[in-house]
């Protein structure tokens, strides 16, 4: 396995490749992303440990969406079983996915726990449990500080786990080394990932503003409510497609496992 350092403009290439791959199989990839979200939602309603179990699923599920993109890239049709690819690579592969899931869930809970020290847990409760967000809560300085602190702390957590599931699955890298190599790859290619993140932020923001503008022009508030959800669902699926290309360009190996 070799780590590649890519130029900043590669970040925009990842975005374009992810969008292009999505439109090759839009229904299949949107459906897979919906299944991924539905699985996490179902797990989250399990009493006591539901939220933790849903977080544990995220590394394996994100790997499944990357594997689905790889199938599309190879000219194949991604079947639903591809979402469980992380648990189909022998007992060692299953153990790696479970360990990564536990570590990710603990890390995320830790981030929310630190944010709770700022606002008493309002932001963490809203994010983990759900509920309605009123303007009074949103404008509270403590709530905003907790939100920005969570974002700041989540960025290094995301770097640590960005490539880790794919490294353990396709390259057979042990868990601890996969976390280390993932971090090094993200830091070494920070310019490309900065471009990647900025472009996706602009795409999500631009789509939201565009739908809102159309709704105001036709004077139909229901249009925005109906159009935003499927639009965000498709964009999120495109985003996860693009993560496969970021991994593919950052690492190469003589052997890629099925």
């Amino acid at each position: 396995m070799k780590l590649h350092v890519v130029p900043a403009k590669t970040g925009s290439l990842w975005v374009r490749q992810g969008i292009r791959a999505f439109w090759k199989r839009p229904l299949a990839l949107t459906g897979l992303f919906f299944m991924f979200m539905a699985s996490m939602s179902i797990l989250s309603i399990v009493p006591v440990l539901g939220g933790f179990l849903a977080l544990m699923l995220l590394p394996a599920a994100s790997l499944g969406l990357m594997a689905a993109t790889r199938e599309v890239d190879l000219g194949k049709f991604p079947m639903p079983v591809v979402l469980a690819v992380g648990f189909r690579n022998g007992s060692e592969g299953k153990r790696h996915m479970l360990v990564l899931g536990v570590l990710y869930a603990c890390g995320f809970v830790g981030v929310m726990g630190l944010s709770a020290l700022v606002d008493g847990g309002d932001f963490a409760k809203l994010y983990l449990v759900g509920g309605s967000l009123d303007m009074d809560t949103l404008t509270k300085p403590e709530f905003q500080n907790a939100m920005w602190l969570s974002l700041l702390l989540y960025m290094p957590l995301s770097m640590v786990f960005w490539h880790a599931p794919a490294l353990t699955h396709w390259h057979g890298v042990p868990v601890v080394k996969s976390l280390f190599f993932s971090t090094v790859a993200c830091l070494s290619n920070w310019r490309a990932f900065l471009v990647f993140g900025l472009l996706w932020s602009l795409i999500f923001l631009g789509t939201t503003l565009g739908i809102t503008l159309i709704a105001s022009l036709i004077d139909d508030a229901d249009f925005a409510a109906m159009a935003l959800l499927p639009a965000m669902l498709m964009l999120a699926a495109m985003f996860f497609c693009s993560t496969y290309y970021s991994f593919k360009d950052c690492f190469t190996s003589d052997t890629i496992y099925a």
Side-chain angles (χ1 to χ4, degrees), residues 9-241:
K9 63 181 181 180
T10 308
S12 63
L13 176 63
W14 297 337
V15 174
R16 295 197 305 272
Q17 287 175 320
I19 295 173
R20 191 181 303 122
F22 173 83
W23 285 112
K24 288 180 180 178
R25 298 288 186 182
L27 294 179
L29 290 170
T30 301
L32 288 173
F33 181 75
F34 182 80
M35 291 175 61
F36 153 61
M37 293 299 296
S39 299
M40 293 192 66
S41 298
I42 292 171
L43 277 176
S44 65
I45 64 176
V46 175
V48 185
L49 292 177
F52 192 84
L53 292 174
L55 290 170
M56 279 182 58
L57 181 65
L58 191 58
S62 63
L63 171 65
L65 292 171
M66 291 174 69
T69 306
R70 180 171 178 265
E71 292 285 287
V72 173
D73 207 39
L74 294 173
K76 301 178 182 179
F77 187 90
M79 301 300 291
V81 71
V82 76
L83 287 178
V85 69
F87 299 107
R88 297 167 54 209
N89 200 19
S91 58
E92 186 176 17
K94 293 177 183 177
R95 184 168 64 252
H96 284 165
M97 284 300 114
L98 288 174
V99 172
L100 283 174
V102 170
L103 292 176
Y104 177 82
C106 289
F108 192 89
V109 170
V111 168
M112 291 294 105
L114 290 173
S115 76
L117 299 177
V118 177
D119 70 340
D122 289 341
F123 177 76
K125 182 179 179 181
L126 178 69
Y127 197 96
L128 295 173
V129 181
S132 59
L133 178 63
D134 55 74
M135 188 56 65
D136 290 338
T137 301
L138 183 61
T139 55
K140 287 171 58 177
E142 296 85 358
F143 183 88
Q144 293 180 3
N145 290 338
M147 180 178 65
W148 287 113
L149 177 62
S150 298
L151 178 62
L152 183 65
L153 294 175
Y154 184 74
M155 289 178 66
L157 180 68
S158 178
M159 285 194 301
V160 171
F161 284 90
W162 189 270
H163 300 296
L167 284 170
T168 59
H169 177 70
W170 279 313
H171 294 302
V173 180
V175 170
V176 175
K177 287 186 177 181
S178 73
L179 298 173
F180 172 76
F181 289 138
S182 176
T183 306
V184 171
C186 290
L187 291 175
S188 300
N189 291 295
W190 69 269
R191 294 174 183 84
F193 279 103
L194 178 61
V195 173
F196 177 83
L198 289 175
L199 282 177
W200 273 119
S201 298
L202 289 173
I203 289 170
F204 274 91
L205 180 60
T207 302
T208 302
L209 291 177
I211 291 175
T212 304
L213 178 61
I214 293 172
S216 64
L217 289 175
I218 63 176
D219 195 23
D220 186 356
D222 292 335
F223 172 81
M226 290 186 297
L228 271 176
L229 180 59
M232 292 300 107
L233 189 67
M234 288 192 296
L235 287 179
M238 294 178 198
F239 171 81
F240 275 98
C241 287

